[in-house]
Amino acid sequence: MTPTINGVSRTLPSLPRGVRRIQRPVYKHQHQFRNASVRRREASDPPLPISNGIPTTSRPTSPQGVWAPKTRLAVGIVFVGSLIYSMLSSPLQPVPERTESPSIADLDSRRKRESGVSPTSPMRLRMEAFIKEQQELIVRELEHVDGGKFRKDTWTRPAGGDGVSCVLQDGKVFEKAGVNTSVVYGTLPRAAIAKMRVNHKALDPDIDSLEFFAAGLSLVLHPQNPMAPTVHLNYRYFETMDKNGDGKAWWFGGGTDLTPSYLFEEDAIHFHRTIKDACDNHDRDYYPRFKAWCDKYFFIPHRGESRGVGGIFFDDLDEEAKDQEELFSFVQHCLEAFLPSYLPIIEKRKDMSFGPREKEWQQVRRGRYVEFNLVHDRGTSFGLATPGARVESILMSLPLTARWVYMHEPEKGSKEDRILGVLKKPVEWI
């Protein structure tokens, strides 16, 4: 047979014995990818050169060594056509999904769903469950006292964690009351790790970052009646973890304190005695030690006075103090002592008579409360510096109203002057 190459008939030379001529196969669907423009180009292009009597498989290249545009386009069409044919005639292979390792927050959520929280669960899960249980109890009791209902906002953090903010404003008894729980997962940078090592030598100083968990319940109640004291409470747990969620360093912190505008000694005595009983169940050294710590912590240096009549305060209690179970039990008893320490006081003072003078003094004292919280409180500073923090929950502790009176001085010997004398020099109430 005489083959035709590019429209030109050529007689191919005979091959030596034993050598077979190779013919390009014609594929079933090849005609689908040959269009009219390609056929016209084939007719117009020069014939393939012959070497040793056999046509070569390529055309002469341009001086720069690049195929001519028409040739590049033809090859591209054939290549794309072959690719499409291969896709249509071959089974599709699933593309594996890219998966990331679950975060510690994800692992903890799964653990709670599948197994719940038990005495053998990690401490972070037990502390979280405890503070949320106490929040519900405290809110229920305060609603009974006030007659109003708390607004409850539930929030979540993209990096892990959640919280519930319960706030009551303009109630019958409380001008503003907040009971918040927060659970936070995050990563500590190297600078923060170095700072924490001052109190926690177990932290590795040679790592660039460290996973952490923090959970706490915070509470602030600002009554309407100036004769009823403001009260604050916070108990918290902090833990660092490796990438698998195994705990490394850990510690507890917290406390509670009473801030009256007018002094009723029996109220201060009852408050301190209830707290002391909770402390004495674990260590008789706790109350005097933590009471002194509270007096020092809640001092307002620029005013030269304390915020209130004190209570207890402690921080960084870790394995150097007691074992983890013992400290958890201590924190539980302190938090459970709150309602017995405060409810009898608010019930006694919430309906007492007062006038404009007493209300003004209450507003002045609340101004001092704001000054301490925004300038000196470590919890407020840490919260506002935490990426993704919920600012409304952090500033929940601030009163709804406050007052700053220029050069305000109470009358000597007055009820206002009496409380100021106590605030300038801490008192041992029991």
Side-chain angles (χ1 to χ4, degrees):
M1 131 176 218
T2 302
T4 301
I5 302 176
N6 287 336
V8 180
S9 298
R10 297 186 184 276
T11 302
L12 300 180
S14 60
L15 297 176
R17 180 178 299 175
V19 178
R20 298 175 57 192
R21 190 179 307 281
I22 299 176
Q23 294 183 347
R24 178 184 298 175
V26 179
Y27 292 100
K28 179 179 179 180
H29 300 287
Q30 184 171 345
H31 65 279
Q32 297 177 6
F33 309 111
R34 296 175 60 87
N35 54 38
S37 61
V38 176
R39 288 194 296 271
R40 288 194 299 271
R41 183 167 58 254
E42 289 179 344
S44 60
D45 286 347
L48 291 169
I50 296 177
S51 176
N52 297 326
I54 302 176
T56 63
T57 58
S58 61
R59 300 184 185 279
T61 58
S62 63
Q64 291 79 12
V66 180
W67 288 8
K70 293 182 179 181
T71 306
R72 293 201 305 270
L73 179 60
V75 173
I77 292 174
V78 173
F79 172 76
V80 173
S82 301
L83 179 62
I84 295 174
Y85 173 80
S86 175
M87 293 174 62
L88 293 175
S89 59
S90 303
L92 294 176
Q93 299 296 324
V95 179
E97 294 183 1
R98 295 181 61 185
T99 59
E100 296 182 357
S101 299
S103 67
I104 297 175
D106 294 333
L107 293 175
D108 281 352
S109 295
R110 183 188 306 167
R111 184 182 287 115
K112 287 183 289 186
R113 288 194 308 269
E114 295 177 352
S115 307
V117 179
S118 70
T120 61
S121 298
M123 180 57 68
R124 59 182 179 269
L125 302 187
R126 296 166 64 192
M127 183 65 174
E128 176 186 351
F130 174 66
I131 61 175
K132 289 181 177 179
E133 172 190 278
Q134 287 296 303
Q135 181 187 37
E136 292 181 0
L137 174 62
I138 292 171
V139 166
R140 185 164 61 246
E141 292 297 324
L142 294 179
E143 287 180 340
H144 177 73
V145 171
D146 187 272
K149 290 292 183 181
F150 279 77
R151 169 179 172 173
K152 298 182 181 181
D153 293 331
T154 301
W155 49 270
T156 58
R157 295 181 75 250
D162 56 39
V164 181
S165 298
C166 301
V167 178
L168 186 155
Q169 293 185 156
D170 289 321
K172 296 177 182 178
V173 174
F174 300 107
E175 182 178 278
K176 186 178 181 184
V179 186
N180 291 353
T181 55
S182 61
V183 176
V184 176
Y185 291 81
T187 304
L188 291 172
R190 190 182 185 94
I193 298 171
K195 187 175 181 180
M196 286 184 174
R197 286 202 77 248
V198 175
N199 297 314
H200 305 282
K201 301 302 181 184
L203 292 175
D204 188 348
D206 299 322
I207 56 178
D208 292 327
S209 63
L210 192 61
E211 301 298 311
F212 79 87
F213 168 91
L217 185 151
S218 58
L219 169 157
V220 178
L221 309 178
H222 295 289
Q224 296 275 14
N225 196 313
M227 302 301 169
T230 288
V231 68
H232 159 260
L233 172 148
N234 177 275
Y235 290 102
R236 56 195 176 274
Y237 174 73
F238 192 94
E239 178 181 294
T240 63
M241 305 159 288
D242 60 21
K243 296 295 183 181
N244 298 320
D246 295 327
K248 296 298 183 181
W250 56 267
W251 58 90
F252 290 93
T256 181
D257 64 292
L258 197 68
T259 306
S261 297
Y262 288 92
L263 181 62
F264 295 92
E265 291 187 359
E266 61 268 34
D267 294 351
I269 292 171
H270 169 78
F271 186 78
H272 279 263
R273 180 176 289 127
T274 307
I275 299 169
K276 182 179 184 298
D277 289 344
C279 291
D280 288 350
N281 286 331
H282 297 269
D283 192 322
R284 289 189 172 274
D285 181 57
Y286 277 174
Y287 173 75
R289 176 182 162 197
F290 297 155
K291 193 267 184 188
W293 200 341
C294 180
D295 290 338
K296 181 179 180 180
Y297 181 81
F298 289 105
F299 187 76
I300 310 173
H302 63 274
R303 294 291 187 180
E305 61 191 46
S306 297
R307 189 175 77 173
V309 297
I312 61 170
F313 176 85
F314 58 89
D315 203 4
D316 301 319
L317 292 189
D318 56 17
E319 67 275 3
E320 293 184 4
K322 294 283 178 70
D323 67 71
Q324 193 177 53
E325 290 297 331
E326 169 60 24
L327 290 175
F328 181 44
S329 178
F330 167 62
V331 168
Q332 287 177 304
H333 285 148
C334 287
L335 183 47
E336 290 167 349
F338 167 70
L339 290 174
S341 73
Y342 186 72
L343 287 186
I345 297 174
I346 191 65
E347 290 285 5
K348 189 186 301 184
R349 307 300 172 195
K350 65 184 178 65
D351 297 319
M352 291 184 66
S353 61
F354 64 91
R357 170 181 165 176
E358 289 78 16
K359 194 65 178 176
E360 179 180 311
W361 176 246
Q362 179 197 53
Q363 300 300 295
V364 171
R365 295 312 309 168
R366 285 184 177 171
R368 302 292 198 269
Y369 200 96
V370 171
E371 290 173 22
F372 175 84
N373 279 32
L374 295 183
V375 177
H376 301 292
D377 185 59
R378 287 167 53 186
T380 303
S381 299
F382 177 81
L384 293 177
T386 301
R390 193 171 191 269
V391 176
E392 290 295 324
S393 297
I394 297 169
L395 299 182
M396 171 274 300
S397 62
L398 301 181
L400 195 60
T401 60
R403 185 181 180 96
W404 284 265
V405 179
Y406 181 70
M407 297 297 289
H408 186 277
E409 289 289 340
E411 182 182 344
K412 294 297 182 180
S414 64
K415 295 181 295 182
E416 294 81 10
D417 185 56
R418 183 174 177 231
I419 183 68
L420 200 57
V422 169
L423 298 178
K424 289 185 178 296
K425 187 177 181 180
V427 173
E428 298 299 325
W429 297 104
I430 52 176

